[in-house]
Amino acid sequence: MSTAAAVQALPKIDIRHLTVNYAEKNHEFTALRDVSFTVEEGEFVSIIGASGCGKSTLLSVLEGLYKQADGEITISGEPLEGTGKERGVVFQHYSLFPWMTTRKNIAFGIAQVRKDLSKKERLAIADTFLEKVGLGDFGNKYPSQLSGGMQQRAAIARALAMDTDILLMDEPFSAIDAKNRIVLQELLLKLWEGNGTEPRKSVVFVTHDIDEAILLSDKIVVLTSHPGTVAEIIPVPFDRPRDRSTLVQSKEYGKFRNHLLHLFYNDIADRIGGEEVVL
């Protein structure tokens, strides 16, 4: 195999035996223990698990904000060291600068990774992505003038406009009402799948929502309760593109969903000494 082919075959993200410890009030506790999985080029991977299992901690490590106590993480074969321009982030809360218009918020994100572009070019890209997320008429509005769902659309537009190879998403729809959550899930799928001419982003998506994970993902990593360890890594067996209404009515979907629910709830029952949940 040639060197170029070998590099191409490397996972986009490779996490091996990751352990993360915290020190608090002279006590140390473990948030994540011996976590290993990969994210391939263009793969959409969801992380699910109970509250406190370390999902957001894992994402913070991938962002370069926390240092692992043990283990190894590589990005395209290179050791992870701090933050990087190849990683874009969508937070649980919108994280838009309140003193900037929506358009300028997106242009600011672009400026962090594309110093070579002029202000005019950055604003033009911002306008393109505002159109893609249905906010073409709201570029001159400030975040306070937008609904929660619109603010999260703007946050997604900013992350995508930065054109990073990797997209890290920490429960981005958890604060959104049920109707808009569905709209944003469909929008994210559409933007991620693209028109087939451009490579897809590699996505790590943290969620509590099992149905959301199934709809969006190529693979689901289930973490146990504190400390977070990998209970199971499960490929999602449904072809793309996925139609939500058809998918949820299939027997295969119900069986797959029940398996995830079994892992999710019986882990919680084990931790509190409860009885096994029968689904």
Side-chain angles (χ1 to χ4, degrees):
M1 180 183 290
S2 69
T3 302
V7 171
Q8 184 65 30
L10 290 172
K12 194 66 181 178
I13 303 173
D14 192 355
I15 302 171
R16 298 185 183 184
H17 308 295
L18 172 67
T19 294
V20 179
N21 297 325
Y22 283 105
E24 186 177 275
K25 295 181 180 179
N26 299 321
H27 294 283
E28 186 175 87
F29 65 95
T30 301
L32 295 166
R33 178 181 293 159
D34 197 25
V35 171
S36 298
F37 66 92
T38 61
V39 180
E40 304 300 328
E41 186 82 40
E43 189 176 34
F44 199 121
V45 176
S46 284
I47 314 296
I48 67 172
S51 295
C53 73
K55 300 186 299 298
S56 293
T57 298
L58 174 58
L59 217 64
S60 293
V61 173
L62 292 177
E63 291 166 28
L65 301 178
Y66 291 157
K67 179 71 175 178
Q68 64 263 35
D70 197 12
E72 179 184 9
I73 301 177
T74 58
I75 305 290
S76 299
E78 297 294 325
L80 172 66
E81 295 182 358
T83 58
K85 294 180 180 180
E86 78 284 353
R87 282 161 280 158
V89 184
V90 179
F91 297 98
Q92 184 173 352
H93 298 290
Y94 320 122
S95 302
L96 301 174
F97 297 118
W99 60 88
M100 289 185 184
T101 64
T102 308
R103 186 179 186 228
K104 289 182 178 179
N105 261 287
I106 296 172
F108 178 85
I110 299 168
Q112 306 315 298
V113 295
R114 293 294 308 274
K115 303 292 186 183
D116 57 310
L117 297 177
S118 68
K119 179 179 179 181
K120 182 178 179 180
E121 288 171 323
R122 293 194 295 267
L123 288 171
I125 294 172
D127 289 338
T128 297
F129 279 87
L130 282 169
E131 289 289 344
K132 287 186 176 184
V133 299
L135 293 176
D137 295 331
F138 295 88
N140 291 323
K141 299 290 186 182
Y142 290 90
S144 62
Q145 297 173 302
L146 304 178
S147 68
M150 293 168 76
Q151 289 186 57
Q152 198 62 310
R153 287 189 188 202
I156 291 170
R158 181 176 59 189
L160 292 173
M162 292 169 68
D163 198 24
T164 57
D165 295 337
I166 296 169
L167 196 56
L168 306 174
M169 309 187 76
D170 189 4
E171 297 189 65
F173 309 142
S174 63
I176 307 299
D177 65 86
K179 179 180 178 181
N180 278 309
R181 186 170 188 143
I182 290 173
V183 170
L184 288 173
Q185 289 168 356
E186 298 289 349
L187 174 64
L188 176 61
L189 265 183
K190 179 181 177 181
L191 294 173
W192 176 76
E193 290 175 345
N195 56 17
T197 62
E198 297 179 356
R200 292 174 175 172
K201 309 295 183 188
S202 301
V203 180
V204 181
F205 187 96
V206 167
T207 181
H208 281 99
D209 189 320
I210 287 174
D211 293 294
E212 181 172 76
I214 297 172
L215 176 70
L216 297 174
S217 309
D218 296 309
K219 181 168 71 188
I220 298 173
V221 178
V222 183
L223 296 183
T224 65
S225 299
H226 176 76
T229 61
V230 175
E232 195 167 336
I233 300 172
I234 311 171
V236 178
F238 306 114
D239 294 335
R240 296 186 187 274
R242 294 172 186 161
D243 176 74
R244 184 193 305 266
S245 59
T246 302
L247 187 63
V248 299
Q249 295 179 50
S250 68
K251 291 182 179 179
E252 292 79 7
Y253 181 89
K255 183 177 179 180
F256 185 73
R257 184 177 187 273
N258 281 343
H259 177 61
L260 288 171
L261 285 169
H262 182 85
L263 287 171
F264 190 84
Y265 287 110
N266 282 317
D267 172 64
I268 296 173
D270 288 343
R271 297 291 170 142
I272 63 175
E275 297 181 359
E276 181 176 0
V277 178
V278 180
L279 300 171

